């Protein structure tokens, strides 16, 4: 029998979340599959979404090439753009869209060969679709002010640029009380006024809560996987991943005895402790505190003791029927991953993308 640590990925829920994103946006939407689809498995998720999506987005070229190798033919946008001229050439040859946020990337595009082999006898144009990134206030990457127009005109002059889109990224869209998003929208519109190209502003939070930011393309990331970036939630989303394992040892500790590294948990009552086969090396947050919610055989329970590399402990005292072999859901349909992340002082993006070393199965 294999180790019972297990991530069940519901591709039906993934498709329904994408449909929710597209309805909310009202235009085309890229499904963001970076970081191995936020820990869900990029190839399987791309295949599960095939025929339902307008395109995909990833962080860097190798992520895009893995999807192409798996037979994904839909548009794929590389959000970080190319790192050198060779990556630009490869992206052009594989019809992969590139974000452009610095001058060198434009020059690599201009110098890229304008042909792509399509078999032994035929050759076709290897055009590049460039997504010109505007720094509207996040100050992480992108062109500012008059440089936006200069970059746009330089791309228009490149013989091998087959299309241009304009994009920016929102820094505080998950904070509805902040005025920064409105300021970024105004800055983006001013910088791109009069430029003929589709536009993209919304990330997941923008799709959920900022109708003024919706343009031609949205980029749905965390919301695809059932996590609403807004608090309180703005959309009806379904969790895609259920992370679970099993109790594989049980022991009783007396009042005053401790459990785990650092002796963090001290029993205040006779306590029945379940040892679960999953730890921080599998992606569960090490700093999750005592009381972090879990579900034990479908009933609410809680974590006790410090999370170890390969295992963690839960309180079975109020679960008299539970024992060796009992299922413990760490997050999923019964335990929202956002609750676990909040308890651990982090965000759902981080803990989902850290999932590894567990068996993945796909349904739907």
């Amino acid at each position: 029998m294999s180790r019972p640590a297990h991530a069940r990925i519901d591709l039906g829920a993934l498709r329904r979340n994408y449909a929710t994103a597209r309805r909310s946006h009202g235009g085309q939407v890229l499904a963001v599959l970076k970081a191995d689809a936020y820990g869900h498995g990029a190839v399987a998720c791309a295949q599960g979404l095939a025929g339902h999506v307008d395109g995909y987005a990833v962080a860097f070229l190798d992520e895009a090439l893995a999807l192409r190798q798996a037979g994904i033919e839909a548009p794929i946008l590389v959000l970080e753009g190319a790192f050198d001229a060779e990556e630009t050439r490869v992206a052009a040859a594989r019809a992969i869209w590139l974000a452009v946020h610095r001058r060198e990337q434009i020059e690599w595009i201009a110098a890229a060969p304008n042909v792509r082999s399509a078999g032994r006898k035929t050759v076709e144009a290897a055009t590049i679709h460039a997504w010109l990134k505007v720094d509207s206030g996040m100050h992480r990457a992108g062109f500012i002010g008059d440089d936006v127009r200069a970059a746009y005109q330089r791309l228009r002059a490149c013989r091998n640029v087959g299309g241009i889109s304009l994009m920016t990224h929102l820094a505080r869209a998950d904070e509805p009380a902040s005025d920064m998003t409105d300021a970024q929208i105004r800055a983006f519109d001013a910088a791109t006024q009069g430029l003929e190209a589709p536009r993209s502003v919304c990330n997941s939070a923008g799709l959920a809560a900022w109708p003024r930011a919706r343009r031609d393309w949205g980029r749905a990331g965390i919301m695809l996987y059932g996590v609403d970036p807004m608090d309180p939630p703005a959309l009806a989303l379904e969790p895609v991943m259920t992370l679970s394992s099993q109790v594989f040892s049980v022991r009783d500790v007396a009042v005053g005895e401790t459990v785990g590294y650092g002796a963090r948990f001290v029993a205040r009552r006779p306590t029945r402790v379940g040892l679960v086969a999953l730890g921080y090396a599998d992606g569960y947050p090490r700093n999750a505190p005592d009381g972090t919610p879990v579900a034990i055989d479908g009933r609410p329970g809680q974590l006790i003791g410090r999370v170890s590399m390969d295992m963690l402990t839960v309180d079975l005292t109020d679960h008299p029927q539970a024992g060796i072999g009992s299922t413990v859901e760490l997050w999923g349909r019964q335990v929202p991953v956002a609750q676990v992340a909040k308890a651990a002082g982090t965000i759902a993006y981080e803990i989902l993308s850290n999932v590894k070393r567990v068996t993945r199965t796909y349904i739907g």
Side-chain angles (χ1 to χ4, degrees):
M1 179 179 177
S2 61
R3 184 169 182 253
H6 177 252
R8 187 185 67 182
I9 311 299
D10 186 343
L11 297 176
L14 183 72
R15 289 189 290 271
R16 290 188 289 274
N17 291 339
Y18 176 84
T20 297
R22 209 175 189 285
R23 282 195 303 271
S24 177
H25 182 247
Q28 294 180 296
V29 173
L30 294 174
V32 181
L33 302 181
K34 63 183 181 178
D36 201 24
Y38 294 56
H40 293 67
V43 169
C45 287
Q47 291 170 338
L49 288 167
H52 298 267
V53 299
D54 303 305
Y56 304 95
V58 295
F60 51 89
L61 182 62
D62 282 351
E63 291 184 328
L65 293 175
L67 297 182
R68 284 283 186 259
Q69 184 66 28
I72 300 301
E73 298 179 353
I76 305 172
L77 170 63
V78 174
L79 293 166
E80 291 183 350
F83 287 107
D84 55 35
E86 175 62 15
E87 284 204 343
T88 305
R89 185 194 66 77
V90 172
R94 301 303 298 270
I96 293 168
W97 297 353
L98 291 174
V100 175
H101 55 81
R102 59 191 180 102
R103 292 184 184 90
E104 293 89 342
Q105 291 173 326
I106 299 177
E107 299 313 312
W108 297 334
I109 288 173
N114 196 33
V115 293
R116 176 170 68 244
S117 172
R120 291 186 177 182
K121 297 182 179 180
T122 60
V123 171
E124 57 181 324
T127 57
I128 294 173
H129 189 124
W131 282 58
L132 181 60
K133 189 163 189 177
V134 177
D135 180 359
S136 60
M138 191 171 185
H139 300 325
R140 192 175 64 174
F143 294 91
I144 300 175
D146 291 340
D147 289 342
V148 175
R149 295 178 182 277
Y152 174 85
Q153 295 300 337
R154 179 72 178 102
L155 286 169
R156 284 283 301 269
C158 293
R159 72 192 188 287
N160 50 6
V161 171
I164 301 174
S165 295
L166 301 166
M167 67 183 296
T168 194
H169 196 58
L170 302 175
R172 301 181 69 180
D174 58 345
E175 302 176 44
S178 171
D179 60 3
M180 186 173 181
T181 299
D182 274 327
Q184 285 195 258
I185 294 169
R186 291 193 299 271
F188 176 76
D189 288 343
T192 61
Q193 185 175 6
L195 303 183
E196 295 183 6
R199 286 155 166 76
S200 178
V201 175
C202 285
N203 53 8
S204 288
L207 288 169
W210 293 93
R212 295 186 297 282
R214 294 168 192 162
R215 298 294 189 270
D216 303 285
W217 283 91
R219 308 184 306 274
I222 193 67
M223 68 184 301
L224 281 184
Y225 309 101
V227 179
D228 194 317
M230 308 306 295
D231 187 12
L235 297 171
L237 301 170
E238 301 177 47
V240 173
M241 178 190 293
T242 297
L243 182 69
S244 64
S245 191
Q246 291 181 3
V247 174
F248 70 99
S249 183
V250 177
R251 70 174 54 236
D252 296 310
V253 299
V255 173
E257 291 185 329
T258 64
V259 174
Y261 284 119
R264 185 184 73 184
F265 175 80
V266 181
R268 297 185 177 181
R269 61 174 180 171
T271 301
R272 190 164 172 257
V273 179
L275 187 62
V276 181
L278 190 138
Y280 63 75
D282 304 296
Y284 195 86
R286 178 180 178 272
N287 59 337
D290 297 337
T292 298
V294 300
I296 302 168
D297 288 337
R299 295 180 54 219
Q302 62 180 9
L303 176 82
I304 57 174
R306 185 174 294 168
V307 176
S308 303
M309 179 179 286
D310 310 305
M311 60 194 86
L312 54 80
T313 43
V314 297
D315 191 342
L316 297 181
T317 310
D318 298 326
H319 298 262
Q321 303 306 313
I324 293 174
S326 286
T327 297
V328 178
E329 179 182 301
L330 289 313
W331 61 69
R333 291 191 173 273
Q334 299 172 88
V335 182
V337 66
Q339 287 187 9
V340 179
K342 185 175 182 179
T346 185
I347 55 177
Y349 303 71
E350 180 181 23
I351 60 176
L352 284 173
S353 60
N354 281 340
V355 171
K356 54 188 179 296
R357 232 181 49 157
V358 301
T359 301
R360 287 193 195 125
T361 59
Y362 293 88
I363 63 171

